């Protein structure tokens, strides 16, 4: 729950913004009506203070026109679009640290109908087109405040070739179980070994609760579930002490939660960081035990010349071989979409 909710004038002009207002008022959250469409006053004396203020703030705004021009997001999906930017969780390896500019306030978009209407022009008619909706936030973590994820699921349930993908570390899925998704939404949950989830993923649901949430979503409708296609995003994978035992236990727990036939995928993502994200993360979480030592990594350059620090080739090969074998053993029908 945010400690303050800010509404811009433009957001209040949107019908979807008004329904968000009703939601936060029903939760008795303090609301401030801004006189302008800019968000200011969130900076503290230090970056850590700015982080704390921003993470406690929900700002209801309108998505700028530039966001209606979608960008590809391989290997996750064909296109990405956004319901919000900024996340309520406190993951100490947060990938947003190097991606979003300014204070990490949670900005949710009031012009959702316009955002959804814009998607149709990117949809191919001859084959399915996939859309990722959670790159810069956790949509389930703010769903009680926005209702936007459910609206997206309803929208994609009406599309012939449009398919939605979202991922979360939260578990409040009951409101999604009875939606008319038509099999066009894949619900994925980020899971990790106990030392990672317990110590580096603050403010999130436990992995045990995430596994119960994915079970609810994947169970057939006639058994009280949502009947959704589902997926696990194992990320960020780290070669911790006793990592084989830790990840074996994780996959055993996942297999126990999904002990029935379902449409299941895996995405396997090893831990990496950039010089910029390291700097921000060390300001946000100065006492973190996250390993950000470049000496333990090798460098990888993207097509724009940017540097990422990744594990060396032998470590990556060992991790990948383990996961591919362990998943094949427990989930023979599941598909591994990619390793990175």
């Amino acid at each position: 729950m945010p400690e303050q909710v800010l509404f811009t004038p433009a957001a209040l002009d949107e019908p979807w913004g008004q329904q968000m207002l009703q939601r936060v008022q029903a939760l008795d959250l303090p609301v401030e009506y801004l006189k302008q469409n800019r968000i200011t006053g969130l900076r503290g004396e230090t970056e850590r203070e700015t982080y704390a203020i921003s993470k406690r703030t929900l700002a209801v705004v309108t998505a700028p026109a530039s966001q209606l021009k979608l960008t590809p997001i391989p290997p996750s999906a064909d296109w990405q679009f956004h319901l919000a930017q900024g996340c309520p969780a406190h993951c100490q390896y947060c990938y947003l640290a190097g991606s979003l500019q300014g204070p990490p306030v949670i900005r949710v978009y009031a012009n959702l109908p316009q955002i959804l209407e814009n998607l149709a022009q990117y949809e191919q008619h001859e084959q399915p087109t996939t859309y990722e909706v959670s790159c810069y936030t956790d949509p389930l973590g703010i769903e009680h405040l926005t209702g936007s994820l459910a609206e997206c699921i309803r929208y994609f349930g009406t599309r012939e070739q449009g398919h939605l993908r979202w991922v979360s570390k939260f578990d409040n899925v009951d409101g999604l179980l009875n939606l008319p998704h038509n099999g066009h939404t894949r619900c994925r949950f980020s899971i990790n070994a106990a030392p990672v989830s317990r110590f580096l993923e603050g403010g999130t649901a436990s992995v045990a609760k995430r596994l119960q949430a994915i079970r609810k979503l994947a169970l057939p409708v006639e058994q009280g579930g949502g009947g959704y296609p589902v997926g696990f995003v194992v990320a960020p994978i780290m070669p911790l002490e006793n990592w084989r035992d830790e990840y074996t236990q994780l996959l055993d727990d996942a297999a126990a939660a999904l002990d029935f036939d379902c449409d299941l995928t895996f995405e396997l993502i090893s831990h990496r960081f950039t010089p910029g994200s390291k700097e921000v993360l060390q300001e946000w979480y100065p006492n973190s035990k996250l390993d950000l030592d470049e000496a333990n990594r090798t460098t990888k350059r993207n097509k724009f010349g940017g540097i990422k620090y990744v594990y060396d080739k032998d470590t990556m090969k060992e991790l990948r071989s383990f996961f591919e074998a362990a998943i094949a053993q427990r989930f023979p029908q599941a598909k591994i979409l990619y390793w990175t």
Side-chain angles (χ1 to χ4, degrees):
M1 293 290 182
E3 290 187 5
Q4 61 175 345
V5 183
L6 313 178
F7 277 84
T8 64
L12 289 171
D13 285 340
E14 297 284 342
W16 199 255
Q18 287 293 326
Q19 81 87 26
M20 287 189 197
L21 177 60
Q22 292 174 11
R23 282 175 175 267
V24 299
Q25 287 176 332
L27 293 168
D28 202 26
L29 295 173
V31 175
E32 180 180 346
Y33 303 99
L34 302 179
K35 292 183 170 62
Q36 58 183 1
N37 289 321
R38 294 179 63 243
I39 308 299
T40 59
L42 297 179
R43 289 210 171 271
E45 293 185 6
T46 64
E47 282 299 318
R48 179 64 186 168
E49 275 187 29
T50 299
Y51 170 88
I53 295 168
S54 299
K55 281 283 192 172
R56 297 194 297 263
T57 302
L58 183 79
V60 185
V61 302
T62 53
S66 60
Q67 288 210 3
L68 299 179
K69 183 177 181 181
L70 304 191
T71 55
I73 184 171
S76 177
D78 295 317
W79 303 101
Q80 61 177 318
F81 73 100
H82 307 290
L83 305 178
Q85 291 197 351
C87 178
H90 299 272
C91 300
Q92 294 175 28
Y93 52 76
C94 180
Y95 294 115
L96 299 184
S99 303
L100 299 180
Q101 301 300 313
V105 59
I106 303 160
R107 301 170 187 263
V108 299
Y109 297 142
N111 54 331
L112 180 64
Q114 180 188 19
I115 293 169
L116 293 178
E117 184 180 344
N118 179 63
L119 302 179
Q121 65 179 302
Y122 291 86
E123 192 175 307
Q124 298 184 54
H125 299 296
E126 65 279 3
Q127 64 184 41
T129 305
T130 54
Y131 298 81
E132 179 77 47
V133 70
S134 41
C135 307
Y136 294 138
T137 190
D138 187 311
L140 191 59
I142 55 176
E143 175 65 5
H144 59 298
L145 303 167
T146 69
S148 296
L149 179 58
E151 188 68 6
C152 287
I153 293 171
R154 292 187 195 97
Y155 170 82
F156 277 92
T158 69
R159 306 304 301 173
E160 287 191 14
Q161 296 287 12
H163 289 251
L164 180 70
R165 295 161 54 76
W166 58 269
V167 62
S168 180
K169 295 189 181 84
F170 290 85
D171 68 328
N172 52 315
V173 299
D174 289 353
L176 307 179
L177 296 181
N178 297 318
L179 297 178
H181 59 80
N182 196 28
H184 281 212
T185 291
R186 186 173 296 276
C187 311
R188 297 125 69 221
F189 284 80
S190 177
I191 57 173
N192 216 316
V196 179
S197 62
R198 193 175 297 140
F199 299 112
L200 299 178
E201 295 181 348
T204 64
S206 67
V207 169
K209 288 184 176 180
R210 295 177 219 171
L211 292 177
Q212 286 308 301
I214 198 172
R215 178 181 177 85
K216 287 181 184 179
L217 291 166
L219 272 171
V221 173
E222 55 269 22
Q223 295 182 35
Y228 285 92
V230 294
F232 286 120
V233 180
V234 189
I237 295 168
M238 302 178 184
L240 314 153
E241 186 177 356
N242 301 319
W243 65 265
R244 288 179 177 272
D245 292 339
E246 297 289 356
Y247 283 114
T248 294
Q249 184 63 57
L250 175 70
L251 294 173
D252 284 346
D253 292 344
L258 295 182
D259 58 347
F260 53 92
D261 289 337
C262 59
D263 183 343
L264 175 66
T265 62
F266 278 84
E267 295 157 82
L268 307 174
I269 305 172
S270 62
H271 181 242
R272 67 277 317 281
F273 61 93
T274 66
S277 66
K278 175 181 177 177
E279 182 180 356
V280 174
L281 288 171
Q282 289 181 331
E283 290 174 336
W284 286 358
Y285 307 108
N287 300 314
S288 177
K289 295 180 180 178
L290 176 66
D291 180 11
L292 294 174
D293 186 353
E294 292 94 335
N296 298 330
R297 306 294 181 112
T298 186
T299 56
K300 184 177 180 180
R301 291 186 180 271
N302 63 26
K303 61 183 179 181
F304 304 108
I307 291 177
K308 283 183 181 178
Y309 292 101
V310 300
Y311 296 119
D312 64 81
K313 188 178 294 185
D314 289 343
T315 301
M316 293 283 266
K317 184 178 180 180
E318 188 177 5
L319 288 167
R320 182 173 186 173
S321 296
F322 165 81
F323 275 99
E324 288 178 346
I327 290 169
Q329 179 184 5
R330 292 165 180 79
F331 305 95
Q333 304 303 320
K335 182 178 181 182
I336 297 176
L337 298 183
Y338 57 87
W339 161 275
T340 187

